[in-house]
Amino acid sequence: MLYYLLIALLVLGTLIYYFLIWNYDHWQKRNVCGPKPYPLLGSYPNLLLRRQHFGDDLQDIYKFYKTSQNYVGTYLMRTPTLLITDPQIVHEIFVTAFKHFDDNDVGKLIDTSKDPLIAKNPFILSGKEWILQRSFVTPALTSSRIKQSYQDIPEICREMAKFIIEYGCLGINGKDLALRFTSESLSSCVLGIKANSFTPSRLPISENVNKFASENVAFTIFTLLAGLAPEILKYYRMKFFPKDCENFFIDLMERAYKYRASEHFARNDILDHLIKAKEIENLSNLDVYSHTMTFLIDGLDTTATVISHCLLMLALEPLCQDKLFQEVCRSADNKGDLPFTTLNEMPYLDACIHESLRIYPPGLWSTKCCTKPYQFRNKDGSILSLQKGDSIIIPIYALHHDEEYYAEPYKFKPERFLIENGGVKRFRDHGIFLGFGDGPRTCLGMRFALIQCKAAISSLAKTFHIKLNAKTRKEFKLDPKSFLALHAGGVWLDFERR
Ligand code: HEM
């Protein structure tokens, strides 16, 4: 009996082993070089092992191949995924050859019929539906609506400073502070309500966003399974939003919309656009809630990541902080405030934000899907013909830290992004700065996110000396425990009143 059991186990083990490796010659057959994949783990062992961040795995492969190859054949577990090392090809994918790569690969993981709250998010949509929903959100983010929505932000900045002083100023968790700020500013700008983020009775907005984003274990397991057997996605796609979390946001939005309806004055802000568009286009409540959620899903953690890491960089580089302080003092009006238009005219502040977005970009990589055949040329002149459905990964973090493009890539040097040095555009046009992506799918909320970052950072730099707490590690390293961009060990700061 034991003998048969052993034979059965051996056969099963062999079958599983062959299942895990049978397509590992995919790139070889297409004449594309790449690292030898590990059974089960593919080319990125730390997706499972977590000894370093996935972004570092991408960077290791990028560094090894970039001088000899324009693209590398890799496997996300078992899924063949082409990693791009050449910035010109990156620019083609995002901009010039966009119509051949107009889908974000992540969209195929989501079933919009199961997840009404993400169903209208342009990031996961493709084809005509993407065009339709993107064109619905775009007018919500005109300069004048952002300006209107900005009205409460100076008060939120004051609440944040008060919170720091009351909390004790020392050993503050920078990411938590920034999440409180973005929860409050997004609630105010997009929902028109207060989230009390700087009080003990705050609305648990960021906690609920974390539940479906960074702490969504079930969805992470499903994503890994789909990496092992992509065929699953033809038959089954998992619900992304945990039910309790979905209920929390639906309830929050119902209350926000009722509250706005009870106000008897007009505000030409983001919420106003969503409400008017609902009436004109005869949308259901869930459709509008989904559009509203786009701001929270795409804007809450990303903006908080940029704010907290910019504070970290300013603490690490006191000379840069002094320069910023001087710009803030020069630009403030006679009440000491920085109005909306002024914030948009502060080059050093803008450069500081882009430089921290370079060092710790919330989008550490981007996955795209080939939607129409296209050809890439390799360094040796050979051609790769891409087919519809081929998956592509762009290692944004690696490109942002390549010393060929950025001297001393781990040093915070905002000067790189000043207009007199070519500005952000110079880097973006060369496919080496993708903090907000590029091309027709570029981040819809970019200007809105930037103004929030600018308001938060300038107000803190004006009120406090921002210093490194002893708990913060000085070396730049991504936290392997998180899938997001987070400084290893966290961002711990001390604030000393000026
Ligand atoms: C600092 C904060 C933010 C960062 C770093 C960021 C970054 C990005 C990146 C890298 C992309 C992918 C672009 C591409 O594939 O070319 C993206 C897409 C997107 N972002 Fe943002 N984002 C931020 C804030 C926001 C906010 C506040 C919103 C609110 C509306 C938003 C809405 C979107 C949407 C809707 C897309 C998908 C666009 C499409 O596929 O058409 N983002 N963002």
Side-chain angles (χ1 to χ4, degrees), residues 170-172 467-474 489-490 492-494:
L170 301 180
I172 290 185
K467 297 193 166 170
L468 223 50
N469 181 270
K471 271 198 276 181
T472 302
R473 295 199 207 151
K474 289 208 172 143
W492 301 94
L493 300 168
D494 295 343

PDB file of all heavy atoms in Angstrom, residues 170-172 467-474 489-490 492-494:
ATOM      1  N   LEU A 170       7.542  64.627  18.452  1.00  0.00           N
ATOM      2  CA  LEU A 170       8.680  63.721  18.280  1.00  0.00           C
ATOM      3  C   LEU A 170       8.230  62.319  17.874  1.00  0.00           C
ATOM      4  O   LEU A 170       7.218  61.824  18.356  1.00  0.00           O
ATOM      5  CB  LEU A 170       9.503  63.628  19.576  1.00  0.00           C
ATOM      6  CG  LEU A 170      10.086  64.936  20.102  1.00  0.00           C
ATOM      7  CD1 LEU A 170      10.870  64.705  21.388  1.00  0.00           C
ATOM      8  CD2 LEU A 170      10.985  65.595  19.059  1.00  0.00           C
ATOM      9  N   GLY A 171       9.011  61.700  16.998  1.00  0.00           N
ATOM     10  CA  GLY A 171       8.742  60.309  16.609  1.00  0.00           C
ATOM     11  C   GLY A 171       7.401  60.134  15.927  1.00  0.00           C
ATOM     12  O   GLY A 171       6.707  59.135  16.131  1.00  0.00           O
ATOM     13  N   ILE A 172       7.029  61.104  15.091  1.00  0.00           N
ATOM     14  CA  ILE A 172       5.731  60.999  14.387  1.00  0.00           C
ATOM     15  C   ILE A 172       5.892  60.110  13.146  1.00  0.00           C
ATOM     16  O   ILE A 172       6.876  60.231  12.413  1.00  0.00           O
ATOM     17  CB  ILE A 172       5.219  62.402  14.011  1.00  0.00           C
ATOM     18  CG1 ILE A 172       4.817  63.120  15.306  1.00  0.00           C
ATOM     19  CG2 ILE A 172       4.066  62.345  13.023  1.00  0.00           C
ATOM     20  CD1 ILE A 172       4.191  64.459  15.135  1.00  0.00           C
ATOM     21  N   LYS A 467      12.850  67.116  11.101  1.00  0.00           N
ATOM     22  CA  LYS A 467      14.098  66.396  11.411  1.00  0.00           C
ATOM     23  C   LYS A 467      13.867  64.899  11.407  1.00  0.00           C
ATOM     24  O   LYS A 467      12.758  64.432  11.629  1.00  0.00           O
ATOM     25  CB  LYS A 467      14.597  66.827  12.789  1.00  0.00           C
ATOM     26  CG  LYS A 467      14.935  68.302  12.824  1.00  0.00           C
ATOM     27  CD  LYS A 467      15.697  68.656  14.055  1.00  0.00           C
ATOM     28  CE  LYS A 467      16.305  70.038  13.870  1.00  0.00           C
ATOM     29  NZ  LYS A 467      16.867  70.556  15.070  1.00  0.00           N
ATOM     30  N   LEU A 468      14.991  64.193  11.212  1.00  0.00           N
ATOM     31  CA  LEU A 468      14.926  62.726  11.200  1.00  0.00           C
ATOM     32  C   LEU A 468      14.826  62.210  12.625  1.00  0.00           C
ATOM     33  O   LEU A 468      15.615  62.602  13.478  1.00  0.00           O
ATOM     34  CB  LEU A 468      16.233  62.226  10.584  1.00  0.00           C
ATOM     35  CG  LEU A 468      16.180  61.114   9.585  1.00  0.00           C
ATOM     36  CD1 LEU A 468      15.174  61.369   8.497  1.00  0.00           C
ATOM     37  CD2 LEU A 468      17.565  60.900   8.992  1.00  0.00           C
ATOM     38  N   ASN A 469      13.881  61.335  12.894  1.00  0.00           N
ATOM     39  CA  ASN A 469      13.844  60.690  14.201  1.00  0.00           C
ATOM     40  C   ASN A 469      14.842  59.525  14.197  1.00  0.00           C
ATOM     41  O   ASN A 469      15.088  58.925  13.140  1.00  0.00           O
ATOM     42  CB  ASN A 469      12.420  60.184  14.473  1.00  0.00           C
ATOM     43  CG  ASN A 469      12.293  59.530  15.834  1.00  0.00           C
ATOM     44  OD1 ASN A 469      12.485  58.323  15.978  1.00  0.00           O
ATOM     45  ND2 ASN A 469      12.004  60.332  16.849  1.00  0.00           N
ATOM     46  N   ALA A 470      15.375  59.190  15.357  1.00  0.00           N
ATOM     47  CA  ALA A 470      16.412  58.147  15.434  1.00  0.00           C
ATOM     48  C   ALA A 470      15.916  56.808  14.879  1.00  0.00           C
ATOM     49  O   ALA A 470      16.712  55.972  14.451  1.00  0.00           O
ATOM     50  CB  ALA A 470      16.871  57.997  16.874  1.00  0.00           C
ATOM     51  N   LYS A 471      14.586  56.599  14.879  1.00  0.00           N
ATOM     52  CA  LYS A 471      14.060  55.314  14.387  1.00  0.00           C
ATOM     53  C   LYS A 471      14.186  55.170  12.859  1.00  0.00           C
ATOM     54  O   LYS A 471      14.074  54.077  12.320  1.00  0.00           O
ATOM     55  CB  LYS A 471      12.570  55.204  14.743  1.00  0.00           C
ATOM     56  CG  LYS A 471      12.309  54.583  16.111  1.00  0.00           C
ATOM     57  CD  LYS A 471      10.883  54.114  16.224  1.00  0.00           C
ATOM     58  CE  LYS A 471       9.949  55.220  16.621  1.00  0.00           C
ATOM     59  NZ  LYS A 471       8.568  54.826  16.780  1.00  0.00           N
ATOM     60  N   THR A 472      14.376  56.288  12.153  1.00  0.00           N
ATOM     61  CA  THR A 472      14.400  56.216  10.684  1.00  0.00           C
ATOM     62  C   THR A 472      15.758  55.732  10.192  1.00  0.00           C
ATOM     63  O   THR A 472      16.797  56.253  10.604  1.00  0.00           O
ATOM     64  CB  THR A 472      14.120  57.607  10.070  1.00  0.00           C
ATOM     65  OG1 THR A 472      12.866  58.035  10.541  1.00  0.00           O
ATOM     66  CG2 THR A 472      14.079  57.550   8.554  1.00  0.00           C
ATOM     67  N   ARG A 473      15.712  54.752   9.285  1.00  0.00           N
ATOM     68  CA  ARG A 473      16.976  54.265   8.721  1.00  0.00           C
ATOM     69  C   ARG A 473      17.468  55.238   7.651  1.00  0.00           C
ATOM     70  O   ARG A 473      16.671  55.779   6.896  1.00  0.00           O
ATOM     71  CB  ARG A 473      16.746  52.897   8.077  1.00  0.00           C
ATOM     72  CG  ARG A 473      16.363  51.872   9.108  1.00  0.00           C
ATOM     73  CD  ARG A 473      16.604  50.494   8.516  1.00  0.00           C
ATOM     74  NE  ARG A 473      15.707  49.557   9.161  1.00  0.00           N
ATOM     75  CZ  ARG A 473      15.250  48.469   8.591  1.00  0.00           C
ATOM     76  NH1 ARG A 473      15.585  48.182   7.347  1.00  0.00           N
ATOM     77  NH2 ARG A 473      14.466  47.641   9.244  1.00  0.00           N
ATOM     78  N   LYS A 474      18.816  55.403   7.617  1.00  0.00           N
ATOM     79  CA  LYS A 474      19.330  56.421   6.695  1.00  0.00           C
ATOM     80  C   LYS A 474      19.503  55.911   5.273  1.00  0.00           C
ATOM     81  O   LYS A 474      19.473  56.678   4.326  1.00  0.00           O
ATOM     82  CB  LYS A 474      20.654  56.986   7.226  1.00  0.00           C
ATOM     83  CG  LYS A 474      20.418  57.866   8.445  1.00  0.00           C
ATOM     84  CD  LYS A 474      21.460  58.929   8.595  1.00  0.00           C
ATOM     85  CE  LYS A 474      21.052  59.876   9.718  1.00  0.00           C
ATOM     86  NZ  LYS A 474      22.135  60.349  10.495  1.00  0.00           N
ATOM     87  N   GLY A 489      11.536  50.284   7.141  1.00  0.00           N
ATOM     88  CA  GLY A 489      11.526  50.671   8.558  1.00  0.00           C
ATOM     89  C   GLY A 489      10.571  51.818   8.846  1.00  0.00           C
ATOM     90  O   GLY A 489      10.301  52.132  10.005  1.00  0.00           O
ATOM     91  N   GLY A 490      10.063  52.450   7.796  1.00  0.00           N
ATOM     92  CA  GLY A 490       9.075  53.518   7.981  1.00  0.00           C
ATOM     93  C   GLY A 490       9.709  54.906   8.012  1.00  0.00           C
ATOM     94  O   GLY A 490      10.927  55.060   8.085  1.00  0.00           O
ATOM     95  N   TRP A 492       9.945  58.050  10.140  1.00  0.00           N
ATOM     96  CA  TRP A 492       9.728  58.589  11.495  1.00  0.00           C
ATOM     97  C   TRP A 492      10.365  59.962  11.586  1.00  0.00           C
ATOM     98  O   TRP A 492      11.548  60.129  11.299  1.00  0.00           O
ATOM     99  CB  TRP A 492      10.322  57.636  12.549  1.00  0.00           C
ATOM    100  CG  TRP A 492       9.688  56.282  12.462  1.00  0.00           C
ATOM    101  CD1 TRP A 492      10.159  55.209  11.764  1.00  0.00           C
ATOM    102  CD2 TRP A 492       8.440  55.881  13.038  1.00  0.00           C
ATOM    103  NE1 TRP A 492       9.284  54.152  11.865  1.00  0.00           N
ATOM    104  CE2 TRP A 492       8.215  54.539  12.650  1.00  0.00           C
ATOM    105  CE3 TRP A 492       7.491  56.513  13.829  1.00  0.00           C
ATOM    106  CZ2 TRP A 492       7.086  53.830  13.030  1.00  0.00           C
ATOM    107  CZ3 TRP A 492       6.365  55.816  14.222  1.00  0.00           C
ATOM    108  CH2 TRP A 492       6.172  54.487  13.824  1.00  0.00           C
ATOM    109  N   LEU A 493       9.562  60.942  11.995  1.00  0.00           N
ATOM    110  CA  LEU A 493      10.040  62.327  11.930  1.00  0.00           C
ATOM    111  C   LEU A 493       9.863  63.062  13.246  1.00  0.00           C
ATOM    112  O   LEU A 493       8.946  62.755  14.024  1.00  0.00           O
ATOM    113  CB  LEU A 493       9.260  63.076  10.845  1.00  0.00           C
ATOM    114  CG  LEU A 493       9.368  62.511   9.421  1.00  0.00           C
ATOM    115  CD1 LEU A 493       8.333  63.154   8.513  1.00  0.00           C
ATOM    116  CD2 LEU A 493      10.767  62.704   8.863  1.00  0.00           C
ATOM    117  N   ASP A 494      10.749  64.042  13.478  1.00  0.00           N
ATOM    118  CA  ASP A 494      10.579  64.976  14.598  1.00  0.00           C
ATOM    119  C   ASP A 494      10.270  66.354  14.004  1.00  0.00           C
ATOM    120  O   ASP A 494      10.854  66.728  12.988  1.00  0.00           O
ATOM    121  CB  ASP A 494      11.879  65.076  15.419  1.00  0.00           C
ATOM    122  CG  ASP A 494      12.219  63.756  16.108  1.00  0.00           C
ATOM    123  OD1 ASP A 494      11.321  62.899  16.218  1.00  0.00           O
ATOM    124  OD2 ASP A 494      13.384  63.607  16.515  1.00  0.00           O
TER     125      ASP A 494
END
